[in-house]
């Protein structure tokens, strides 16, 4: 992250960014910030993934091991503090405060995006997406038709499937 400010402000921003960092992904949270009862912060998405792991300890804070409970505790102060920190666009490199960065990156033509067509693994700058969709329209259509045929064949095979179930009752 390239700092917008120099000197003491840059050092203060770096210290605050380290303090607000998610211990699961080791990055600053984007969007909602959740916390344990002892105040350790997490990205909402990281915390959800951590809790869904279904292993011993996935119901505890990975930092202090306190029980997390079912309802996440949102920390709006941390969200506000993160929003005031400087950030940089992943595409064009423009520097701005992080609360403006999300909107900028949603529109920036230099941010890399994936083709939204299922099965197409091409990634490109957003400004090239429309051109890609036009150029590969026939390829996308053929892939969709092949997938449709495969699904029809699978559906036909399942239609002929017979399952015998033997249920024994004990008294």
């Amino acid at each position: 992250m390239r700092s917008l400010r120099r000197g003491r402000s840059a050092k203060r921003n770096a210290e605050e960014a380290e303090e607000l960092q998610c211990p699961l992904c080791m990055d600053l949270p984007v969007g909602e910030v959740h916390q344990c009862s002892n105040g350790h912060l997490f990205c909402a998405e990281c915390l959800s993934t951590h809790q869904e792991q279904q292993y011993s300890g996935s119901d505890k804070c990975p930092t202090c091991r306190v029980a997390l409970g079912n309802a996440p505790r949102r920390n709006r102060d941390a969200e506000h503090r993160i929003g005031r920190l400087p950030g940089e666009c992943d595409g064009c490199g423009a520097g701005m405060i992080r609360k403006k960065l999300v909107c900028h990156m949603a529109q920036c033509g230099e941010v890399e995006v994936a083709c939204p067509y299922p099965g197409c693994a091409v990634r490109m700058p957003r400004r090239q997406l429309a051109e890609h969709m036009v150029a590969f329209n026939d390829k996308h259509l053929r892939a969709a038709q092949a997938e449709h045929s495969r699904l029809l064949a699978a559906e036909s095979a399942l239609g002929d499937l017979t399952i015998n179930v033997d249920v024994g009752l004990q008294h």
Side-chain angles (χ1 to χ4, degrees):
M1 169 174 53
R2 184 175 55 187
S3 179
L4 293 176
R5 300 178 186 153
R6 306 282 179 241
R8 274 192 211 187
S9 289
K11 183 178 180 191
R12 231 181 0 257
N13 286 339
E15 289 170 353
E16 187 161 22
E18 187 174 327
E19 177 185 318
L20 296 168
Q21 193 175 50
C22 172
L24 295 167
C25 69
M26 303 306 291
D27 205 352
L28 283 173
V30 176
E32 287 189 13
V33 177
H34 292 171
Q35 69 177 34
C36 74
S37 60
N38 288 329
H40 297 114
L41 304 175
F42 310 97
C43 303
E45 189 175 323
C46 288
L47 185 57
S48 177
T49 301
H50 172 72
Q51 290 180 301
E52 290 170 2
Q53 298 276 321
Q54 297 297 316
Y55 67 90
S56 79
S58 65
D59 60 341
K60 294 179 174 63
C61 170
T63 303
C64 67
R65 312 302 294 156
V66 69
L68 291 169
N70 293 331
R73 294 177 177 193
R74 189 167 173 187
N75 187 321
R76 293 178 194 271
D77 178 59
E79 292 170 8
H80 180 71
R81 289 170 49 203
I82 290 168
R84 289 190 327 242
L85 290 172
E88 184 177 298
C89 176
D90 294 339
C92 69
M96 63 195 70
I97 60 173
R98 293 176 68 85
K99 70 180 177 182
K100 293 184 177 182
L101 192 58
V102 174
C103 290
H104 169 81
M105 286 181 54
Q107 299 173 2
C108 179
E110 298 303 315
V111 170
E112 189 173 281
V113 295
C115 173
Y117 197 84
C120 184
V122 175
R123 296 189 61 81
M124 73 224 76
R126 180 178 283 114
R127 63 180 159 68
Q128 296 175 354
L129 182 59
E131 183 181 319
H132 167 80
M133 295 301 287
V134 170
F136 288 88
N137 185 48
D138 291 341
K139 182 178 178 182
H140 291 155
L141 183 59
R142 283 193 303 277
Q145 289 169 334
E147 179 65 8
H148 180 70
S149 296
R150 187 191 70 74
L151 289 172
L152 286 176
E155 182 181 48
S156 175
L158 286 174
D160 297 335
L161 184 65
T162 304
I163 298 175
N164 294 321
V165 178
D166 186 20
V167 179
L169 300 175
Q170 294 179 1
H171 293 281

